[in-house]
Amino acid sequence: MIHSYALNGYYIVIDVNSGSVHSMDRFAYDMVNRFEQMDREELIRTFTDSLYPNIPREEAEECYEDLCTLRDEGRLFTPDTYEDLADTMKQKSAGIIKALCLHVAHACNLNCSYCFASQGRFQGERALMSFETGKRALDFLVEHSGNRTNLEVDFFGGEPLLNFGVVKDLVRYARSIEKDVRKRFRFTLTTNGMDIDDEVIEFANKECTNVVLSLDGRKEIHDRFRKDYAGQGSFDRIVPKFQKLVKARGGKNYYIRGTFTHANPDFMKDIRVMKELGFTELSMEPVVCAPDDPCALTAEDREIVCREYEALALDMLESRREGKPYTFYHYMLDLKGGPCIYKRISGCGSGTEYMAVTPWGDLYPCHQFVGDEAFRLGDIWQGVTNHAVQEQFAGCNVYSRPECRDCWARLYCAGGCSANAFHATGSVQGIYAEGCELFKKRIECAIMLKLAEELGEPL
Amino acid sequence: MKHIQTVETRSLCESAKKGGCGECQTSCQSACKTSCGIANQQCEN
């Protein structure tokens, strides 16, 4: 299977199953798109007689042979031979857990109306995780990590800095056992910024491999949703704190993470504000909410968003030329050192190698299922006891979803987000079609950017 | 090739032989927390 598209003057061909990416001129692009429908003679005659009468036959033959060479080298029209690997990976990683989303606070000092977590409470009561529960969660992670060395813990909420003392104590505990258990903990922190101070900055910059800072862009957009309980917007209070934290981090290993909604599908205006504020590591995500929610993206919004994704890619190219580069999370593709085929077919690992832990120590498949009792997997003392639910997640891969089988982007998204699929279709084995549409546009833009970076101008 | 340029990419077929170590970052931990970013991950090995 190939996927071909034109963007920003590039004629791009992706060989889905090998991962190869080609930039072609219009002539080769037209030929590759007819390659499987016609035999050699018919194709060359069609090109030289009607489509490109000014191109000599010898050149058409040469182009055809080049396509044959790429096919024979396994870089075009490569067959999909990976389906059996899904079971192999499932068996290899059975019972292994390597990442936890630690809900250290089911409480928040903001009252964001679009919050998927019901203002941090996850449909339940306010709560803070105790050190004892957090310590047990870390021990649980180590006990179930098998031969994995890299263990990941994200401090999440709610607002995790409402429980900063426990966060610090947990990191201190993890560092104290790392050597003995032969593991490497990687901590990340997701925060709204309200409680950032010098101590938090020093801690985050010493201990966190990444910090995610919530900022929606334009002040009026940000403050529309991200208010405190007195109804006051938070923009003016958090921006200076984010700037101070980022400067102290040397401008690396963070993401300014915004949400776009029905109020701002034209999110490039928000990206520009982030740039003007001095931020260079950026991420903007579509809102997660019910389709009938007033802030949900409409079909018209998604068309705007797709145009914005293209505008973003062009702006990134222009900024790079001007010596002011910035990054966008979803455009950070590593074509040479990206994930292996096992990762690409098996997905994010939610419910199997990745779980969320509530302040009470309950286990859920990921942070987006917390609060839905039907998805409770067990707890950090007894382990996973709801094997039926875990089996649903273990069975998620690109071959378990019929819609993914014919999709060119399946080895970039690995079947997509189970939580989004569940909320859209009622099944973790479903797909979130609207999300797929945006994802595919992002990948097309990201690959165009990589081509421009690697090859320069289009052919 | 006059009409075609190919970018160097990791061969997914080759990665089937020795991949699957499971050490790479869990995608949802990295930035978005709401939309899967497998493609944005890097291989540890």
Side-chain angles (χ1 to χ4, degrees):
Chain A
M1 177 191 284
I2 63 168
H3 174 62
S4 57
Y5 64 101
L7 182 59
N8 191 30
Y10 293 89
Y11 294 97
I12 300 169
V13 178
I14 300 168
D15 187 44
V16 172
N17 295 312
S18 71
S20 293
V21 176
H22 311 281
S23 172
M24 302 190 177
D25 64 10
R26 183 62 192 259
F27 183 77
Y29 181 81
D30 284 343
M31 187 175 280
V32 78
N33 282 321
R34 293 167 172 81
F35 190 85
E36 290 191 303
Q37 285 80 50
M38 299 180 183
D39 65 25
R40 182 182 190 279
E41 187 53 38
E42 183 186 7
L43 187 56
I44 289 171
R45 199 171 56 242
T46 299
F47 268 62
T48 53
D49 289 356
S50 56
L51 291 177
Y52 291 90
N54 296 327
I55 299 272
R57 180 182 171 89
E58 295 74 25
E59 193 165 329
E61 289 175 337
E62 183 185 341
C63 185
Y64 184 87
E65 295 306 327
D66 287 343
L67 294 177
C68 290
T69 298
L70 289 172
R71 180 198 59 195
D72 296 344
E73 289 175 347
R75 293 192 284 178
L76 262 184
F77 304 110
T78 307
D80 184 340
T81 56
Y82 308 128
E83 187 160 5
D84 290 346
L85 299 183
D87 279 339
T88 305
M89 189 62 178
K90 185 177 167 183
Q91 289 160 12
K92 276 173 74 170
S93 58
I96 290 179
I97 302 171
K98 62 175 284 257
L100 291 180
C101 183
L102 272 194
H103 290 225
V104 292
H106 273 196
C108 194
N109 43 13
L110 289 183
N111 187 27
C112 309
S113 55
Y114 61 15
C115 180
F116 81 91
S118 304
Q119 290 70 47
R121 296 188 310 277
F122 290 86
Q123 295 81 47
E125 298 300 313
R126 284 170 55 92
L128 299 179
M129 181 180 282
S130 69
F131 171 71
E132 289 71 24
T133 299
K135 177 175 177 290
R136 174 59 204 149
L138 295 178
D139 290 339
F140 171 82
L141 176 60
V142 170
E143 290 162 11
H144 291 81
S145 59
N147 60 357
R148 302 289 191 268
T149 300
N150 298 321
L151 305 184
E152 301 152 33
V153 177
D154 186 34
F155 293 113
F156 198 62
E159 172 49 47
L161 292 182
L162 290 180
N163 202 6
F164 183 47
V166 165
V167 168
K168 286 187 296 183
D169 290 344
L170 290 175
V171 170
R172 193 176 301 120
Y173 172 68
R175 297 297 183 220
S176 75
I177 64 171
E178 267 183 327
K179 194 174 176 184
D180 288 344
V181 298
R182 297 181 181 180
K183 303 290 180 184
R184 185 185 307 122
F185 283 95
R186 291 170 169 172
F187 293 104
T188 52
L189 173 71
T190 302
T191 177
N192 63 30
M194 293 288 283
D195 282 355
I196 287 177
D197 58 19
D198 288 348
E199 187 185 6
V200 169
I201 289 173
E202 183 182 4
F203 163 81
N205 293 349
K206 180 185 176 197
E207 299 290 2
C208 294
T209 56
N210 192 36
V211 288
V212 179
L213 310 170
S214 299
L215 173 71
D216 285 351
R218 285 166 282 179
K219 175 177 163 63
E220 65 271 24
I221 292 293
H222 180 96
D223 283 347
R224 177 187 180 120
F225 292 109
R226 304 186 68 81
K227 303 173 192 283
D228 62 19
Y229 281 88
Q232 300 300 308
S234 55
F235 184 94
D236 290 335
R237 282 175 281 177
I238 63 166
V239 165
K241 296 180 179 190
F242 286 167
Q243 289 170 321
K244 189 172 184 180
L245 185 149
V246 166
K247 185 178 179 186
R249 271 181 102 71
K252 300 288 183 191
N253 302 317
Y254 73 95
Y255 276 105
I256 293 290
R257 193 273 195 215
T259 298
F260 57 81
T261 71
H262 180 57
N264 62 324
D266 56 346
F267 67 83
M268 267 309 291
K269 292 174 181 168
D270 301 296
I271 292 279
R272 290 194 182 96
V273 168
M274 293 172 179
K275 288 166 58 183
E276 287 163 6
L277 292 171
F279 302 120
T280 58
E281 316 297 301
L282 312 179
S283 170
M284 285 290 283
E285 302 295 330
V287 67
V288 172
C289 64
D292 57 354
D293 190 293
C295 66
L297 294 169
T298 65
E300 293 76 20
D301 291 338
R302 287 193 296 276
E303 287 181 15
I304 295 170
V305 167
C306 285
R307 289 198 293 272
E308 292 289 88
Y309 279 138
E310 290 191 13
L312 170 61
L314 298 182
D315 188 66
M316 287 177 69
L317 277 177
E318 185 61 28
S319 296
R320 197 180 294 161
R321 287 190 199 105
E322 293 172 351
K324 299 174 184 173
Y326 67 98
T327 60
F328 178 65
Y329 172 66
H330 285 294
Y331 290 176
M332 298 294 289
L333 290 190
D334 184 344
L335 296 179
K336 296 174 189 169
C340 65
I341 189 63
Y342 294 92
K343 182 75 174 177
R344 289 171 186 262
I345 60 180
S346 56
C348 68
S350 62
T352 53
E353 64 173 25
Y354 169 55
M355 295 179 192
V357 183
T358 69
W360 307 276
D362 287 341
L363 293 168
Y364 284 85
C366 83
H367 53 288
Q368 289 206 61
F369 288 101
V370 168
D372 187 337
E373 188 63 21
F375 283 96
R376 184 179 171 277
L377 289 170
D379 63 47
I380 54 177
W381 295 276
Q382 304 296 319
V384 173
T385 50
N386 190 343
H387 297 289
V389 166
Q390 186 172 49
E391 198 56 32
Q392 285 181 48
F393 285 84
C396 286
N397 61 62
V398 296
Y399 300 104
S400 65
R401 296 176 165 102
E403 298 90 340
C404 297
R405 283 179 174 269
D406 298 322
C407 176
W408 66 266
R410 65 181 184 272
L411 297 182
Y412 293 98
C413 82
C417 171
S418 293
N420 288 348
F422 175 72
H423 293 128
T425 68
S427 168
V428 299
Q429 296 276 6
I431 62 156
Y432 173 43
E434 290 82 359
C436 295
E437 175 190 355
L438 300 182
F439 182 90
K440 286 189 268 196
K441 173 54 77 175
R442 291 197 298 258
I443 292 294
E444 287 185 341
C445 292
I447 286 179
M448 184 279 288
L449 270 173
K450 296 303 288 186
L451 282 180
E453 186 181 306
E454 299 271 336
L455 304 176
E457 295 300 312
L459 279 171
Chain B
M1 293 183 182
K2 180 178 177 183
H3 299 275
I4 306 168
Q5 287 182 295
T6 297
V7 181
E8 185 187 344
T9 54
R10 182 182 196 184
S11 165
L12 300 185
C13 311
E14 286 299 310
S15 78
K17 295 174 184 169
K18 291 188 177 177
C21 71
E23 293 288 3
C24 53
Q25 188 180 21
T26 300
S27 53
C28 224
Q29 299 279 61
S30 43
C32 53
K33 301 292 273 191
T34 55
S35 53
C36 201
I38 297 290
N40 309 99
Q41 301 311 303
Q42 290 185 306
C43 177
E44 296 279 343
N45 290 308

